[in-house]
Amino acid sequence: MDNQITEKKSWQENCRPGKRRLIQLYSAVLYNAYVKGFIKGEIYTGKTKLMCVPGFNCYSCPAAVGACPLGSLQNALASSGNRAGFYVFGIIMLWGLMLGRTICGWICPLGLIQELLHKIPTPKIRKNKITHALTYLKYFFLVVFAVAVPLWFGLKHGKAVPGFCKYICPAGTLEGAMGLLSNPANASFFKMLGIFFTRKFVIMLIIGLACVFCYRSFCRFICPLGAIHECINCAKCMDVCKQDAISLKAGKITLIAPAGGCADDKPDSAAKRARGKRIAWAVALAVLAFALLWYNVLDKSAAEINAPATETEEAEVTYSYSVGDVLPDFTIECFDGQDFHLQDNRGKVTFINLWATYCGPCVAELPHFNELAGEHPDDIAILAVHNSMSKDDIPAYLSDKGWDNLHFTLDTKDKLVWNIVGGGSTMPQTIVLDRNGKVIYNQVGSVTPELLEKLYEQAASGE
């Protein structure tokens, strides 16, 4: 009977999450506090999305409330020809100086996923000469995909191409792509998938499988953020130290102490640590509760797509932007100082394109719009509306592009055009109106010159 009790306690102790695991779970929930994102099938676009969180967490995850530091770094490098991303470098340096590799071991959601995969019972690969040699691959991915590719496309071609996110990152595939595709509201996205997504999906599966057999394979062999040193401050060494000689501290504050206490302990040190632990968890849980309440209930920037009501209106106004509806009139100032008034373009075929400088497919298709407008200068009006979240100097970005046949504008803070046309968080999006202002096309996804010409002919004929 005693043996059974001992075995039961041992099993409970082994399966009960430790302090590090609880903090990992806490961080994952805090970074992804916008639970409504999974319900709506859209990503969060509020102000905190401009800030980098410490650790790998994909910007495109429907629940993410912050940006991934590596993705932000790549976008800053890609835009270095037009602006310097000092704020991104500053935030990354701040996290590094404050937390170091503790980020990897304690608060990185992707690290948590890898560790959970490694718990699947299979034969494990221990450290050896081959795994040690493979750790140098991190520097290759850092230099080539995280630095060289964004710089090349940004300076040479004026495109924002975050190389690591686009070609490698498993977090983008798992959290971003699959997170959005899992929602029935995004069923139309499946027709946008091709061999590129298939390659990234296979890469994700290979990395995930590697993590099952080899502890934190992504961190050890691939992660550009981990290309500094191997220790992730996981504190597992404390469990095997028989001398109780190891503790984990932040300055003078002891985060984890050995069972027998620290060598420099005072009589009340253990009591102070216990009290500090209770206070820290109480504050942390209060912060998490507020974050969940804020992002899912209180934050107006995450409200349903609608136009703001006027002072005399008691209810919010909802616009009709589906195929067959007549798009409501609006006026917005363009970068050239002129107003684009939708009503003034009745009689023409009107294209409205939602885009952003940091969206590679958006930038790639804009020359097609410009060419189409040049071929029908008196019969087409094209308005390119940039996302209001961006801090880029968009006129400077456009200055050498030669897209003079298009009307460029920045959406207003209250999302005037974005709301009117039913814009979401996924870009690019194209809306086409016939000569009477009726919507004949409103879809997310890239367009080809052939499709644009076909849409023009359909809108011009009134079919």
Side-chain angles (χ1 to χ4, degrees):
M1 184 68 175
D2 292 339
N3 291 337
Q4 292 178 351
I5 294 175
T6 303
E7 291 177 3
K8 185 176 181 180
K9 288 183 178 179
S10 178
W11 182 88
Q12 290 176 341
E13 291 175 357
N14 289 333
C15 295
R16 184 177 58 193
K19 181 183 294 185
R20 188 171 72 93
R21 181 72 75 236
L22 289 173
I23 293 176
Q24 286 178 308
L25 291 168
Y26 174 88
S27 301
V29 176
L30 184 63
Y31 293 175
N32 298 282
Y34 185 55
V35 182
K36 284 173 61 177
F38 286 111
I39 300 173
K40 296 169 60 179
E42 290 191 354
I43 66 174
Y44 176 73
T45 56
K47 293 181 179 179
T48 59
K49 208 57 179 287
L50 300 174
M51 296 294 294
C52 302
V53 299
F56 250 103
N57 195 68
C58 184
Y59 176 99
S60 297
C61 177
V65 298
C68 172
L70 185 62
S72 300
L73 174 63
Q74 293 171 87
N75 280 321
L77 291 172
S79 303
S80 56
N82 304 291
R83 62 182 174 87
F86 293 124
Y87 71 100
V88 176
F89 291 100
I91 291 174
I92 293 176
M93 290 178 64
L94 177 64
W95 290 135
L97 289 172
M98 291 176 58
L99 302 172
R101 287 298 295 273
T102 302
I103 294 173
C104 307
W106 291 74
I107 57 177
C108 177
L110 191 57
L112 170 62
I113 294 173
Q114 294 176 80
E115 292 185 13
L116 294 178
L117 287 173
H118 192 67
K119 283 189 172 293
I120 297 175
T122 59
K124 306 301 180 184
I125 300 174
R126 294 182 175 274
K127 289 184 177 181
N128 53 58
K129 292 182 178 180
I130 296 177
T131 60
H132 178 72
L134 289 175
T135 59
Y136 291 100
L137 283 174
K138 293 194 297 283
Y139 301 97
F140 169 79
F141 288 111
L142 172 65
V143 173
V144 175
F145 288 96
V147 177
V149 170
L151 278 176
W152 168 259
F153 279 97
L155 297 176
K156 187 71 175 180
H157 302 286
K159 296 181 180 179
V161 179
F164 188 83
C165 296
K166 183 173 182 177
Y167 300 114
I168 304 294
C169 185
T173 308
L174 176 63
E175 299 176 15
M178 296 183 66
L180 290 169
L181 291 171
S182 63
N183 193 297
N186 297 327
S188 61
F189 290 4
F190 281 94
K191 64 183 179 182
M192 299 167 55
L193 304 180
I195 187 62
F196 180 80
F197 175 79
T198 302
R199 287 199 299 263
K200 281 205 67 179
F201 187 79
V202 171
I203 290 173
M204 181 195 71
L205 292 180
I206 292 173
I207 293 174
L209 186 62
C211 292
V212 173
F213 297 98
C214 187
Y215 185 73
R216 277 183 172 250
S217 294
F218 176 80
C219 296
R220 294 168 62 186
F221 311 134
I222 300 174
C223 180
L225 292 179
I228 304 174
H229 32 63
E230 296 303 312
C231 178
I232 58 172
N233 294 331
C234 66
K236 287 187 177 181
C237 53
M238 295 177 58
D239 298 333
V240 296
C241 178
K242 298 180 180 180
Q243 304 300 321
D244 289 339
I246 305 175
S247 60
L248 184 62
K249 294 187 177 183
K252 295 183 178 181
I253 301 175
T254 302
L255 301 178
I256 302 180
C262 300
D264 56 352
D265 270 355
K266 297 180 181 179
D268 60 344
S269 293
K272 285 184 177 180
R273 280 197 294 269
R275 184 168 59 252
K277 178 182 177 180
R278 291 193 295 269
I279 294 174
W281 274 113
V283 172
L285 291 175
V287 170
L288 181 59
F290 176 78
L292 291 170
L293 179 65
W294 172 260
Y295 287 114
N296 295 283
V297 179
L298 302 177
D299 187 7
K300 300 303 180 183
S301 64
E304 297 291 337
I305 295 176
N306 49 59
T310 64
E311 295 180 359
T312 59
E313 292 174 326
E314 296 181 357
E316 294 176 329
V317 177
T318 302
Y319 289 120
S320 298
Y321 42 74
S322 301
V323 172
D325 294 333
V326 174
L327 200 70
D329 187 30
F330 65 84
T331 300
I332 191 167
E333 184 179 1
C334 297
F335 291 135
D336 59 7
Q338 299 182 5
D339 288 340
F340 183 94
H341 190 185
L342 185 61
Q343 183 65 34
D344 292 344
N345 290 284
R346 294 288 163 85
K348 294 182 179 181
V349 175
T350 303
F351 288 76
I352 300 174
N353 179 252
L354 307 184
W355 76 292
T357 55
Y358 52 80
C359 169
C362 300
V363 174
E365 69 179 13
L366 282 174
H368 306 328
F369 284 97
N370 188 68
E371 183 179 352
L372 180 69
E375 293 173 353
H376 309 277
D378 300 321
D379 198 37
I380 286 183
I382 300 181
L383 177 67
V385 186
H386 195 285
N387 191 309
S388 60
M389 285 182 61
S390 175
K391 297 299 182 182
D392 291 354
D393 185 350
I394 303 165
Y397 178 87
L398 296 169
S399 61
D400 61 347
K401 295 296 185 292
W403 300 330
D404 301 327
N405 299 319
L406 309 181
H407 302 279
F408 285 96
T409 186
L410 177 67
D411 202 29
T412 56
K413 291 183 178 179
D414 56 2
K415 294 188 175 182
L416 171 67
V417 178
W418 224 266
N419 288 325
I420 290 176
V421 301
S425 57
T426 307
M427 296 173 287
Q429 181 174 343
T430 300
I431 303 91
V432 184
L433 312 178
D434 66 10
R435 300 186 191 282
N436 298 314
K438 184 172 68 175
V439 179
I440 70 159
Y441 182 88
N442 188 350
Q443 290 191 25
V444 172
S446 300
V447 293
T448 62
E450 294 76 18
L451 177 58
L452 288 176
E453 186 63 37
K454 181 179 179 181
L455 290 171
Y456 165 68
E457 293 174 357
Q458 179 183 343
S461 64
E463 297 179 356

